[in-house]
Amino acid sequence: MTEHPPNRLIHEKSPYLLQHAHNPVDWYPWGEEAFQRARAEDKPIFLSIGYSTCHWCHVMERESFENPDIARLMNEHYVNIKVDREERPDVDQIYMAFVQATTGGGGWPMSVFLTPELKPFFGGTYFPPEDRYGRRGFASLLGHIANVWRERRDDLRRSGDSVIAALTKSVGQAEASELLDRGVLTEGFRVFRAGFDTGSPGFGEAPKFPRPVVLNFLLRYFDRTGDPEAAEMVLANLVAMARGGIHDHLGGGFHRYSVDRYWHVPHFEKMLYDQAQLVGSLVEMYQLCGAPELATIARSTIEYVLRDLRDAGTGGFYSAEDADSPVAPGSRERAEGAFYVFTQEEIEQELGQPLAALFCHHYGIEPDGNAEDPHGELRGKNVLHQVHTLGETAEHFSRDRTEVEAMLAEGRARLLAYRNRRPRPHLDDKILTAWNGLMISALARAATVLGEPRYLEAATQAARFFAERMWRPEGEGPGTGKGGVLMRRYRDGEVAIPGFLDDYAMLVQGLIDLYEASFDLDWLELAERITDRQVALFGDPEGGAFFATSGTDASVLVRMRDDYDGAEPSGNSVAALNLARLGYLLDRQDLLKLAHGTVRFYSSRLRQQVQALPQMVVAFDFLYDSPVEVVVAGEPEEAGTAALLAGVQRHFVPRGLVIRADAKTRERLGRRLGVLAGMAPVDGHPAAYVCRDWHCERPTSDAVELERVVGMHRFEVPNLQHWL
């Protein structure tokens, strides 16, 4: 690759934009400078959207954006704009909707041609430099569209106008619908059961993605109905991923998805939002069945995040690690999975015998490699995936199970040390508010369930960073306006980009969970303030639900709504549950009304496509009847208080809310929550009050009795030693 003088992207903070800062393409960041030039010269805009750990984004850069001839075409005929979709999901959402509507699919890199007024008229995803893979070559496409623009630009402008009009109409208002009933829960279970792959537990065929929002729904369906099949699907899915190559058996954590049906060969990228949500699912399943193996996997995933994705200075968490990495130290050649895969010879040389033989047997290592991929980059290499249980390996080698477990741990540690001498994948070290909110939530919940104070400390440090640096109260900094603003991105000392709905909603979720782990009222009150600002900025009093954007950026032509729970939950789904929890915790009837309104907005879609919004069904399930409210009256330093709280927190109570009624809480919330006045210790001992359906049970100071009164479900499973 020839090193070119830097273009405008060299002044940006986004790791993705900086990756393109030395392309010969005359790139602009999204902004008025580019828009003005396009209007002044009446040139179409070529918009390229991606993110820094996107494999095919790297491919298109190498093939096209570093190609001087293609760059010349781009610079001559277009104003070229680069957007990091993770920094600007608002821009990405509009043009992705267009690409999906016109091509039937989507993905990144996304390539869209716009009028100077930012209206799309043609788009797609990856284009090879010349015709191949059944795709039109990028060079010929550039020339063709330039000719069409020259000869028929008025037609293209009319096409762009109609696209934006259609998108605006599609956002619309909610269709009239009857109120939802429990039938939506039953239908959701039916749909997900029908789509469950029993042969390789999970949902869908190849490529197979984790989708924790579905697991969230299924566990709550089990809790409400007691149907063991719902919990069995979740357990089987988690175990299959834990055994598969999608799980990093050496360093912990999970890769983005599996290219095959069997969770074997992953797309090796690691995303923060996957780690956070899968920790949540593992912890909840552990609460239900008590299998220590699930806790072990949750811990190893958290340790990966704390070790490799945590910013030491702020306590915030980085966004992702790339799938690609250099094939050798000092090499400019990169390959997907190069950091993670091994030849059998490498393993044998590093571990020696007999450890190597046992290790290779357990993890399916083969002399000619066990990894097949469509592009041949992994030929001859092995992806660690657990093909035998611990017991099976022990029996095969006629060794004691405990001895085999110790040998495998030694092998993993030695192979990890060997792997760490390789060039690491690129780290996307920007800190995003939304994804950090999910991680704060996961850490807070894991801290209480697993009894690990370090996790609570990490969650608290991250939350403190967002409270002090990313939340700008009224009058503190530009763009705050009345009531303040939450910022989206931090990198290299810079706080930038006013937040979107998902930033507000996901951080609030993390703060509520942090309150229920620490009972520090600062977090609950901050969650309330940010929620009030969310309502002001993104609420739609006429239509209901929330817009994804505030509507203050004129370059974002349509105020879209988040309406799909995919790899990440939608902002609306998270917001609905937050509003319900805060409404009950703080006796805010206005927030409860908004929660019901948000779910009602999507009622027609839930009836027709419940699989699109499983996290919204979780919010509906919470709102369907009043939650179980547990108030523990006692001071934090008292052993009885801790015992009662632990008795609730270590169990799965998804429609439960917990308040510690200590002296500080009474002082700060007593006027708002008059019910606290009647909830005091009994005979000098901390006591728990369990309330549901507007009445409370007799208080108890017995943790075992508390568990009985709350009515916690358990899921009995065969010993997971037979599975793992």
Side-chain angles (χ1 to χ4, degrees), residues 61-75:
E61 179 189 18
R62 289 195 300 266
E63 293 179 338
S64 294
F65 303 146
E66 292 177 356
N67 183 313
D69 295 328
I70 291 178
R72 195 175 302 113
L73 277 173
M74 295 173 68
N75 296 338

Side-chain angles (χ1 to χ4, degrees), residues 462-673:
R464 190 174 295 121
F465 164 71
F466 283 92
E468 295 174 356
R469 295 293 303 276
M470 304 297 280
W471 169 243
R472 294 179 172 177
E474 183 177 355
E476 293 186 16
T480 55
K482 184 177 181 180
V485 67
L486 180 66
M487 304 300 285
R488 177 169 179 83
R489 189 265 289 153
Y490 174 90
R491 183 176 184 272
D492 194 23
E494 181 187 77
V495 175
I497 309 172
F500 307 107
L501 173 63
D502 63 337
D503 295 300
Y504 284 73
M506 292 178 191
L507 182 60
V508 166
Q509 174 186 297
L511 294 173
I512 297 172
D513 287 332
L514 184 54
Y515 163 72
E516 288 199 332
S518 67
F519 300 103
D520 183 337
L521 285 171
D522 288 347
W523 304 126
L524 187 61
E525 292 174 346
L526 180 60
E528 182 182 27
R529 289 196 298 275
I530 294 176
T531 295
D532 286 337
R533 190 59 179 149
Q534 170 198 302
V535 172
L537 286 172
F538 306 102
D540 179 7
E542 296 180 4
F546 293 90
F547 292 109
T549 63
S550 65
T552 57
D553 186 341
S555 72
V556 180
L557 302 183
V558 182
R559 289 187 80 186
M560 305 288 284
R561 284 188 172 91
D562 294 328
D563 61 354
Y564 179 68
D565 297 322
E568 307 164 55
S570 76
N572 269 295
S573 295
V574 177
L577 186 55
N578 291 343
L579 290 164
R581 295 172 72 189
L582 286 173
Y584 280 110
L585 282 168
L586 296 170
D587 195 20
R588 290 277 303 268
Q589 295 302 310
D590 58 328
L591 298 186
L592 281 172
K593 183 178 179 180
L594 286 170
H596 283 283
T598 301
V599 173
R600 191 176 303 118
F601 181 91
Y602 290 103
S603 57
S604 292
R605 187 162 190 204
L606 288 174
R607 288 185 180 278
Q608 298 165 13
Q609 294 180 300
V610 66
Q611 67 273 21
L613 285 164
Q615 191 66 28
M616 187 66 73
V617 184
V618 168
F620 165 74
D621 179 57
F622 188 93
L623 288 162
Y624 183 75
D625 43 31
S626 61
V628 176
E629 297 181 83
V630 181
V631 179
V632 175
E635 296 306 308
E637 64 274 9
E638 295 183 83
T641 303
L644 289 169
L645 290 170
V648 178
Q649 292 172 324
R650 67 170 172 262
H651 293 287
F652 183 58
V653 189
R655 286 177 298 281
L657 298 168
V658 184
I659 295 176
R660 188 180 68 199
D662 51 40
K664 284 186 177 180
T665 301
R666 294 177 190 281
E667 181 182 349
R668 290 168 65 172
L669 290 184
R671 292 183 181 179
R672 299 176 60 178
L673 302 178

Side-chain angles (χ1 to χ4, degrees), residues 238-239 241-242 247-248 251-254 274-287 291-307 439 442-443 445-447 449-452 454-455 720 724:
L238 290 172
V239 170
M241 288 193 294
H247 177 212
D248 182 356
F254 290 83
D274 282 324
Q275 317 311 319
Q277 292 180 92
L278 287 169
V279 165
S281 296
L282 287 160
V283 165
E284 289 187 346
M285 194 70 235
Y286 172 69
Q287 286 178 296
E293 295 87 348
L294 297 173
T296 297
I297 299 163
R299 288 179 186 277
S300 70
T301 304
I302 292 172
E303 294 304 325
Y304 157 68
V305 172
L306 295 181
R307 182 186 66 240
M439 196 66 226
L443 287 166
R445 291 158 63 197
V449 175
L450 303 180
E452 181 51 75
R454 285 194 307 118
Y455 301 164
L720 275 195
L724 283 170

Side-chain angles (χ1 to χ4, degrees), residues 201-217:
F203 298 91
E205 297 292 328
K208 183 168 281 184
F209 288 80
R211 198 177 171 202
V213 288
V214 176
L215 308 186
N216 294 345
F217 163 72

Side-chain angles (χ1 to χ4, degrees), residues 183-221:
V184 74
L185 303 174
T186 304
E187 176 63 10
F189 177 64
R190 185 195 68 78
V191 168
F192 289 121
R193 179 175 57 184
F196 188 69
D197 181 358
T198 56
S200 179
F203 298 91
E205 297 292 328
K208 183 168 281 184
F209 288 80
R211 198 177 171 202
V213 288
V214 176
L215 308 186
N216 294 345
F217 163 72
L218 289 172
L219 288 181
R220 283 148 184 81
Y221 184 82

Side-chain angles (χ1 to χ4, degrees), residues 283-334:
V283 165
E284 289 187 346
M285 194 70 235
Y286 172 69
Q287 286 178 296
L288 274 175
C289 71
E293 295 87 348
L294 297 173
T296 297
I297 299 163
R299 288 179 186 277
S300 70
T301 304
I302 292 172
E303 294 304 325
Y304 157 68
V305 172
L306 295 181
R307 182 186 66 240
D308 293 337
L309 295 184
R310 189 183 190 192
D311 181 72
T314 66
F317 300 99
Y318 301 138
S319 295
E321 286 194 295
D322 207 337
D324 297 8
S325 58
V327 298
S331 174
R332 302 194 72 166
E333 181 185 354
R334 300 167 60 86

